[in-house]
């Protein structure tokens, strides 16, 4: 039996989150009643991973709405707009954040005559629905994805697209979990994922809890293990998928996809359908977050003496669709040409 992980939840009028910055050393939760604090926790990566950021933002809106119960409807709307703007400024790449904020905005717009007290209940109900739907979507992705995995062999994943990165269960790690639970004898290779080490700190922690066999490798070892025949395919999550299939994910994913191409291995993206941004025709319009240089420097002994050197820290890269074998979504598996297959999945109610 797997001890389930739910990184974000609502309890007694507060948002409770697993503090992912402490893992694997400490498994601790912290809670807040403030929407601003939720925004800060998204920025500082207490919670991270595209779908989990979306769920956290939904609960952030519910907290903001809670504080506005006694206001006039006009002030309620203004307050929620402010909360939405604050949350929207946290992390630019994961489209799930904006998808959630738009969904709650629509809820407010279609209920112009409902009083703030009732509206606050509605926003919370919507946030709970977003969380529940994400959990279900992940399980469906797991089911579809597991079918694509071989009965045995090595599978590479990059960053963390596990339960911690979603409402629970995970996307790419959900695929690995479902395959393992089906009896497939997989062995996971988990890239450590510099600079924030989500692979080493979060994916390895999750795999260890689930007792799925795995080996932690540094990012630069992936090619070596493909060349030796240890890895048969790669599967990662995504933060935003453009209409043509170009996919943004954690920095280093593009390199993994190219390595797969060179070695003739499949490269899969696993993501909920809400990660597909049809307003974005191709990868060139996906905004890439540039994070603090300290994240790169902090593990270097004497990194603080490097004030004068240039350091780049893009959080994500874009894998062109031509390197992607398939995109595994909760609506089904999309194959190239993605502009057609994703559009077809869009028509499913
Ligand atoms: O910077 P992070 O940790 O939020 O980046 C996370 C990723 O890149 C994940 O692979 C992606 O969000 C998919 S999570 C299901």
């Amino acid at each position: 039996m797997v001890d389930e992980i739910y990184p974000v939840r609502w309890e007694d009028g507060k948002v409770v989150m697993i503090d992912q910055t402490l893992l694997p050393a400490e498994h601790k939760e912290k809670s807040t009643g403030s929407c601003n604090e939720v925004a800060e926790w998204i920025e500082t990566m207490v919670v991270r991973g595209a779908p989990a950021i979306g769920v956290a933002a939904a609960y952030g809106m519910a907290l903001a709405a809670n504080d506005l119960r006694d206001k006039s409807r006009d002030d309620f709307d203004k307050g929620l707009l402010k909360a939405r703007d604050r949350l929207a400024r946290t992390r630019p790449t994961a489209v799930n954040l904006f998808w959630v904020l738009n969904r709650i905005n629509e809820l407010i717009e279609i209920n112009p005559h409902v009083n703030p007290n009732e509206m606050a209940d509605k926003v919370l109900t919507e946030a709970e629905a977003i969380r529940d739907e994400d959990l279900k979507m992940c399980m469906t992705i797991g089911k579809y994805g597991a079918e694509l995995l071989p009965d045995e062999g090595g599978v590479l994943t990059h960053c963390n697209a596990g339960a911690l990165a979603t409402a629970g269960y995970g996307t790419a790690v959900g695929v690995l979990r479902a395959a393992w639970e089906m009896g497939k004898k997989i062995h996971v290779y988990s890239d450590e994922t510099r600079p924030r080490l989500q692979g080493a700190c979060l994916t390895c922690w999750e795999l260890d809890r689930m007792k799925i066999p795995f080996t932690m490798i540094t990012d630069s070892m992936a090619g070596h293990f493909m060349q030796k025949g240890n890895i048969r395919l790669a599967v990662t999550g995504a933060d935003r998928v453009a209409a043509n299939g170009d996919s943004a994910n954690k920095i280093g994913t593009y390199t993994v996809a190219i390595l797969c191409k060179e070695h003739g291995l499949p490269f899969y993206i696993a993501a909920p359908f809400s990660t597909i941004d049809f307003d974005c025709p191709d990868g060139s319009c996906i905004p890439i977050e540039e994070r603090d240089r300290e994240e790169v420097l902090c593990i270097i002994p004497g990194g603080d003496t490097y004030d004068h050197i240039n350091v780049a820290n893009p959080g994500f890269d874009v894998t062109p669709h031509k390197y992607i074998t398939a995109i595994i979504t909760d609506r089904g598996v999309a194959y190239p040409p993605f502009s057609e297959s994703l559009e077809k999945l869009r028509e499913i109610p």
Side-chain angles (χ1 to χ4, degrees), residues 102-119:
N102 286 342
R103 188 164 151 173
I104 291 179
N105 196 41
E106 267 168 35
L107 177 80
I108 295 162
E109 279 179 6
I110 60 169
N111 289 289
H113 305 301
V114 176
N115 70 55
N117 194 32
E118 270 177 58
M119 265 328 287

Side-chain angles (χ1 to χ4, degrees), residues 264-281:
L265 306 175
F267 173 78
Y268 296 113
I269 291 280
F273 201 73
S274 49
T275 302
I276 295 149
D277 184 356
F278 286 97
D279 292 335
C280 199

